[in-house]
Each structure stands twice: as structure tokens, then as C-alpha cells.
Amino acid sequence: MTRFTLVALLAILGLVGCDQPSDSPNSGDTPATFTFTAIPDQDEAALVERFSRVADYLSAELGVPVKYVPVKSYAAAVTAFRNDDVQLAWFGGLSGVQARLQVPDSQAIAQGYEDQFFVTYFIAHEGTGLQPSETFPEDIAGHSFTFGSKGSTSGRLMPEFHIREQFGKAPDEVFSRVGFSGDHSATIALVESGAYEVGAVNFKVWEKALASGDVNPNRVSVIWKTPTYPDYHWVIRGDVDARFGDGFADGVQAALLAIEDPAILEAFPRQRFVETDNANYQPILETGRAIGLIDAP
Amino acid sequence: MRFDTTARGYRQVTLLLALAGLLSLVVADLGIHTVSPGDELRRLGAGLFTPDFLATGGLMAALANTVAFAFQGVALGVCAGALLATVWHWRPVRLFSAIIRAVHELFWGLLIIQLFGLSTLTGVLAIAIPYAGIFAKVFGEFLEESDRRPQTALAPGADALSRLLFARVPLIWDHMRRYTAYRLECAIRASAILGFIGLPTLGFHLETAFRQGQYSAGAALLYLLLLLILTMRWWLHPVLLPVYLLAALIWSPPVAPWRPDAWQFFLRDIVPAPLREGGTGNVTPWLQDLLSTQVLPGLGQTLLVGCAALLVTGLLGMLLAPLVSPFFGNRLSRAGAHVLLVTLRSLPEFLLAFVLLLCLGPSMLPGILALALHTGAIVAHLNGHFSGALTLRADRPRGIDGYFWDVLPRLYPTFLAFLLYRWEIIMRETAVLGILGIHTLGFYVDSAFAEFRLDRALLLIIAGVCLNLAVDGVSRRLRAAVRLSSSIRETAHA
């Protein structure tokens, strides 16, 4: 028995030798597969299905194997992009800016048609008695409030910007309790259940939930709409041409802009994709700096 | 006149811990913030009775990854820990081990992801590094306490390696083996939990299923995890270890894509922002701001939840212990209690907290409950088990009287020692619960990672290490003050 265990231990020792990071094969050479990810902004279980369809489409258009890599958080999406675990990503405004700060030669290549003038909705539980208003609803002060993900543009950056601008204080000091739901579907569920009284949500996710009957409009309703700002977009790494051949990035851009299949577009949900570039997201970068989410240069 | 009895020491330590716990419970936010927690709990309950094993795609791969990460992590950790243990008398080694084990697997995971992405290597290292520290401590202490006589029987001039292999290790080999098997169980839990930060283990799917209210799918995953852990004693045979490990290495080799810019992590990302820009003048305001807005609130909340959880753990452990003690109840009640305790013990605190948080809303209550349920079950289990070794009078009181006036006083030193040993572990877990939204240290660490401010994240993690070392120190002094025996250390860690 003891001899067996000694053998076992020696075997482990022997095997762990090839366990060292230094022995990792250098897998930095051209990956055969083009990979992409997307920020998990809603209904996570449906993401794999939604983006596998995109992967199939891109694979057919580009002639290389394309794989979708699911991630758990906005930050993980950016980290995967920076680490070259993925070469393309569907980011929000803020996560896209954060990604481009970390991978300097990367490019915003396409955005949803609606992303040119995106909006955040402030939603409130019916118990608060808050009414829809044209101007910023100052009486949300003192209620409990939930953002979406910590790294979300529509669920964090823009609402926090307007809250700070209106009250001149940090959200912690304005509300009785501040939470981060994680994603927009969760924000709606939390405000609908009353766990939080007020929340900030991506207008596309809200309208989709309303249309599909996933939300009870008697329990929770929109009380304010922010001014518009640029949001979600596709970002590609600058080194893809060197890895997949000249003109590859342009090919990806063309393929994204050409998507017409409603089954694919419905999943985002966007009417279609339009061209964009890094400069369009300068306002997001400045807002991020203004509220201290991004360090000044 | 003053009698300095042992019992007085126990009373004082108990009073101190109870006061700290009570104070924390008074200050802590224990509100239930969901409007109808009953509904959610009912849906959860319904899900638990209708597990759906087919709802999750890639389930088997996730299960295999969970086991593979755990085996490789423990293998690496046990080797590194054993090496460190041989130089345990060296103070820097003890400090180093204390530091690496004070950082939770999830924090290690978040840090290492920055270097190696969502790779197997990340999962393996996130387990191996803290476990190396734990193995070093436990093996080091085994060696320290082992009988020295065999060494003197060796031929004079025997070299250090021979002394170690022939006169020291054989004495503790059995303990080492048992402890490693126990650690493997912990590693499977840790590996599953790493899915919460994106690694492809069971936690990845568990988080999605529970957060989206798909409780039937979640229940199936939960049962698989339980099954994996509870059946370990049957499938974990020493002879099969190399086979398992080889299979783990083949299934999921511990490699990561090479990043040519990995140096940036050390030379740029974790350097405090003001230093990065060149000037040293702005470091003080940066540090002050961070201390007052994140580090201190985070530490305070962590301490609060940790102390409250310790008190509730103690109470639960005390109340549940008789249920599994051979002196109380009947065979049926003991079997039922055993199943309950083993289940609670096998579920990771982090997962329990996550599920309770969904049902009760974001306050400290779910965190405290989760920590207390998990650790309380362990303490009760150990105490019930220990009580079996007691010799009681034939005319002893029975029932409640018998427990509180006869058995518990005899068990009390062991009970207190277990609790003090678990304190450090509770604090480590408390810090990491912040990732779920409770405002302990982990909340700020998670935010720092979400903002890609690794310098802040590292500073917060270091603050957590300091808190852990301090709690460990206090716990050690309390144990020394009441002369709690060190012979139960092995079981207390288990």
C-alpha cells in the first residue's frame, strides 16, 4: 500500500514537471481560428445561441473557422480582447473605449444603427409613486438605486454621469442604497420585484422585455430618458491583418455591415450595423474621465 | 482572592468573541430587501425538487474541467508546499506561506487571468498557489510536532535528505495523505467557484442558471457538485491518483497562450497610477483617497461580517453538534442530521451566499448566514464526532440537560479551538463575498478589476492579507492564552 502511494507521489512529481508555466508551448503563432466575444449584457443563457449564429455567418463570409468565446463579465471581455484570447468583440461604449486604451492599435469598425443615438431609461417600482418626467427626476434621491454592470455604458456610466451632474454628489450619497445588478435583465427583475426602487437600464433591453411580456408594466415603468449618446460597437484588434492576411479587418467590417438576416439582427437586437470609428466614442472617453472611471491621461 | 482556573480563560475568550459578534450584528445591515422573499424561496425550492440535467449545454465538459483543475492544482500545491515545509523553521518561509494562503483562490484567479487569460493554467495556479501555502503550514507543523527520536537513531553523519525521507516523513506520511485527500475535496469546491469569474468550470453555469432564476437547471448542477464531493471516498483511491492526474493533464493541459507583453502586468499595470506617470509627489493623496474611500470601509465591513458570522457559526455549531453525537437521539435522527451537515459542509460558502443573496436581497444577512451554515456544519460535525470519544457516567443526565451540563462543558475546549481555527478561514471567505455585491473588501477589489485599475486591486488584496494575518495573530494569542491544545489542529483545519 505504502509503496503504491509512494509510486503515486513520484508519478505526480514527475507529471508536475510538465506542469510548469515555462513549459507551456508557445501558442502565440497564428491561431487557425478567429475568435470573438461579446459583453454579457443580458439573458446570459441565450448569449451562446445568439452569438453562435453570428460565428456561423462570419465563418461562411470570411472563409476561416470562427468561434464565439463566452465570458462572465464586461471586464472579462476586455481582458480577453487585450490578452488576444479574442480578436473581435461586441463591446458597449465604455468597454470598447477601455479595450482600445489597452490595445492601442485596435479599431471600432461597426455599430448598431440604434447605437448612434442610444438612450438609458430610468425605471421605478410602482410603490415609489414616481411619475414620468421630461427633466431629470430629482425626487429619486433617497430611494434605493441599482445600476447594471459596473462596466456598463447605459447601466452605469451615463446614469452615474447624470446623477453626479444633477446632485453634485456621488450616487452613494444620493441614494439610500446603491447596487450593481450585473446586467440589464437583472436590473429590470430587481426593480420589478422591489428589491431596488429605481434602476437604470439599456433602452433596447427594456423594449425587448416589454414586447416579449417578460416585464409587468404595472409594477415597473420608465420615469426618465437620458439624452442620446453612442454605445455598442464591434472592435477589432490591429494585428489581425498580419495574422489572417491583408485586408482581413476590412473583410470583417464588410461582413458585419452586410448582415441582413433578421434572425441574427433580432438577437442583438439591432436594425442593421453601420460604419463607425474610434473618434465617435471620444464623448464616452471624456464622460468616463469626468466621473473618475478612467484615469486622466 | 482570585482563582485563575482554565474555565475562567474560556469564559473570557467566549465573552470577547460573543461581544464582538453581537456588536457586529447590531451595526450590520441585516435587512431583507426583496419584497417577497418567500416567493423566490418557493421557486428555488420547487427547482430543487425538479432538477433538470439536460438544461445546461456543455455540462460534462464543465464537470471534467472542475475535476481537472482541482487535481492539477492540488498536485502542484502539494509539491510546492512539501518543499516549503522542509524549511518551515525559516521565518521568511512561514511569512511567505501565510501571505500566499491569505489571498483567496478567487482573488488569485482574478489576478492571474490578467496574465494567462481564461486558460487552464489560470485555474490551476489559482488553486495551487494558496494551497502551497496551506500545505506548507500543515506539513511544516506535522514535522515540527513529530517524534524526534528516530532521527537520533540514524547513523551519525546521515545527510539531511536521508534524515527527512527515512526518519521524519514516514512518521507523518499518514497524516499527510489524509490531509491531501481532504484538500482535494476543498479544491473541487474552489475549482467550481472559479467559474464565477469566467473559468469553464461548474460555477460558470451555476451562476448563470441561478441568477436567471432557472432553478431546475441550477439544482441539477448543484447536485452534480454534491455528488462529486460526496462520492470521493469511493473513487479517490491512492492507486488511481496517477491515472486521474494523467487524465486531467491530457483533458486540459495546464498551458496558456504566451503573451509577449506579459511584463506590462508587473512593470505597468500593478504600479500605483501616480508612480506610473513618473512623479512620486501624488502618491500620498492617491493612497489617502484609496484608504478612506475603499480600503478602510472594505476592511471594516469585512471585519463586521466576519465577527458576526463567527458568533452565529459558534451558536449553530453548539446547537447542531448533539444531533450527530452518539449520546443523543436515535439512529434515524443521527443519520438525518449527518446528511444535513455533510450537505451544508460540501457546499461552498460563496455559492450559498450567492443563492441566499438572490432570495433575500443585498444585505449582510445572506453573507453571514452562508458563512455560518457552512462553517457551523463543520464545527458541529467535528464536535459531535469528538463527543463519541468521551467517557460519561452511567447515571448522567439525559436530553437537553445532559448536553448543556455534561457533554458541552467537556467538549468546550475543543469547540473553542475549532472556532478560533476557523476564524481566519471565515475572514478570507468574507472578504471574497464582496464580489457578490456585499460591501466587504471583495466588492472594491471587483470594482478595481472592472475599471482595469490593477494597482488598486493589488493594494486592496494586500490590505486583505494584513487583516487576515492580524486575525490569525489574535486567534493564536487567544488560543495560547487559554492553552488550547495544538493536537487538534489537523482536524480543525479539516
Side-chain angles (χ1 to χ4, degrees), chain A residues 97 100 106-109 111 230 233 276-286:
Chain A
V97 165
R100 286 196 295 280
S106 52
Q107 293 296 328
I109 51 172
Q111 61 180 176
H233 54 297
T276 191
D277 57 44
N278 293 355
N280 281 343
Y281 289 86
Q282 192 62 24
I284 295 290
L285 176 63
E286 278 155 19

Side-chain angles (χ1 to χ4, degrees), chain A residues 5 12-13 16 19 25 27 43-45 72 78 82-83 85 98 102 150 177 183 193 195-196 292-295, chain B residues 33 35 75-76 79 113-114 117 196 204 207-208 211-212 238 254-255 257 259 362 443 446-447 451-453:
Chain A
T5 29
I12 294 173
L13 277 167
V16 164
D19 210 335
S27 37
D43 197 10
E44 233 179 84
K72 208 77 208 170
V78 176
R82 189 203 60 195
N83 289 1
D85 289 337
Q98 286 168 327
Q102 299 189 38
K150 284 172 183 168
R177 212 149 42 78
D183 68 48
S193 79
Y196 284 95
L293 267 180
I294 298 176
D295 286 326
Chain B
H33 296 302
V35 172
L76 196 59
C79 293
I113 280 181
Q114 305 299 325
F196 276 70
F204 190 97
E207 203 256 6
T208 308
R211 197 149 58 87
Q212 307 209 328
V255 293
R259 274 182 56 204
F443 175 83
D446 181 60
S447 300
E451 293 162 19
F452 307 99
R453 286 166 163 158

Side-chain angles (χ1 to χ4, degrees), chain A residues 295, chain B residues 111 265 268-277 286-287 290 294-295 448-449 451-462:
Chain A
D295 286 326
Chain B
L111 278 173
F265 174 77
R268 197 191 62 197
D269 296 352
I270 60 173
V271 176
L275 282 182
R276 221 178 296 153
E277 273 111 49
W286 178 83
L287 206 58
L290 206 56
Q294 303 195 13
V295 176
F449 278 111
E451 293 162 19
F452 307 99
R453 286 166 163 158
L454 307 192
D455 49 344
R456 295 187 184 193
L458 192 68
L459 190 81
L460 286 158
I461 290 176
I462 291 171

Side-chain angles (χ1 to χ4, degrees), chain A residues 54-69:
Chain A
V54 180
D56 292 344
Y57 168 81
L58 285 178
S59 187
E61 290 291 309
L62 300 170
V64 292
V66 178
K67 198 178 135 211
Y68 161 66
V69 179

Side-chain angles (χ1 to χ4, degrees), chain B residues 207-426:
Chain B
E207 203 256 6
T208 308
F210 276 102
R211 197 149 58 87
Q212 307 209 328
Q214 296 159 351
Y215 293 130
S216 294
L221 294 163
L222 206 62
Y223 293 151
L224 273 180
L225 180 61
L226 272 178
L227 196 72
L228 196 62
I229 291 173
L230 296 180
T231 56
M232 268 184 83
R233 62 160 85 178
W234 290 292
W235 57 262
L236 189 68
H237 195 277
V239 179
L240 293 177
L241 271 182
V243 180
Y244 289 139
L245 192 61
L246 192 66
L249 287 168
I250 293 171
W251 166 259
S252 186
V255 293
W258 173 249
R259 274 182 56 204
D261 58 344
W263 58 271
Q264 285 190 347
F265 174 77
F266 298 102
L267 294 182
R268 197 191 62 197
D269 296 352
I270 60 173
V271 176
L275 282 182
R276 221 178 296 153
E277 273 111 49
T280 46
N282 298 328
V283 175
T284 321
W286 178 83
L287 206 58
Q288 272 172 349
D289 179 56
L290 206 56
L291 275 178
S292 63
T293 57
Q294 303 195 13
V295 176
L296 294 178
L299 286 178
Q301 303 271 38
T302 306
L303 200 59
L304 216 62
V305 175
C307 287
L310 188 70
L311 175 64
V312 184
T313 298
L315 291 174
L316 263 179
M318 204 185 280
L319 294 176
L320 293 176
L323 298 181
V324 285
S325 161
F327 295 113
F328 304 94
N330 52 38
R331 191 169 295 179
L332 196 69
S333 75
R334 279 196 294 276
H338 185 75
V339 170
L340 174 75
L341 292 189
V342 168
T343 308
L344 284 176
R345 202 186 64 170
S346 301
L347 292 175
E349 313 75 324
F350 191 79
L351 184 64
L352 278 173
F354 173 68
V355 174
L356 287 171
L357 210 76
L358 290 173
C359 299
L360 303 177
S363 74
M364 295 183 183
L365 185 66
I368 295 173
L369 275 180
L371 290 163
L373 282 173
H374 176 85
T375 322
I378 295 175
V379 173
H381 187 85
L382 290 171
N383 271 304
H385 174 74
F386 253 68
S387 74
L390 296 175
T391 328
L392 300 180
R393 294 163 54 132
D395 62 344
R396 67 197 148 89
R398 308 279 161 154
I400 293 180
D401 278 352
Y403 179 64
F404 282 104
W405 299 106
D406 192 11
V407 175
L408 185 59
R410 293 173 202 268
L411 280 181
Y412 205 74
T414 337
F415 167 75
L416 212 53
F418 285 155
L419 215 52
L420 286 171
Y421 274 115
R422 295 300 307 197
W423 195 10
E424 180 198 2
I425 303 170
I426 289 182

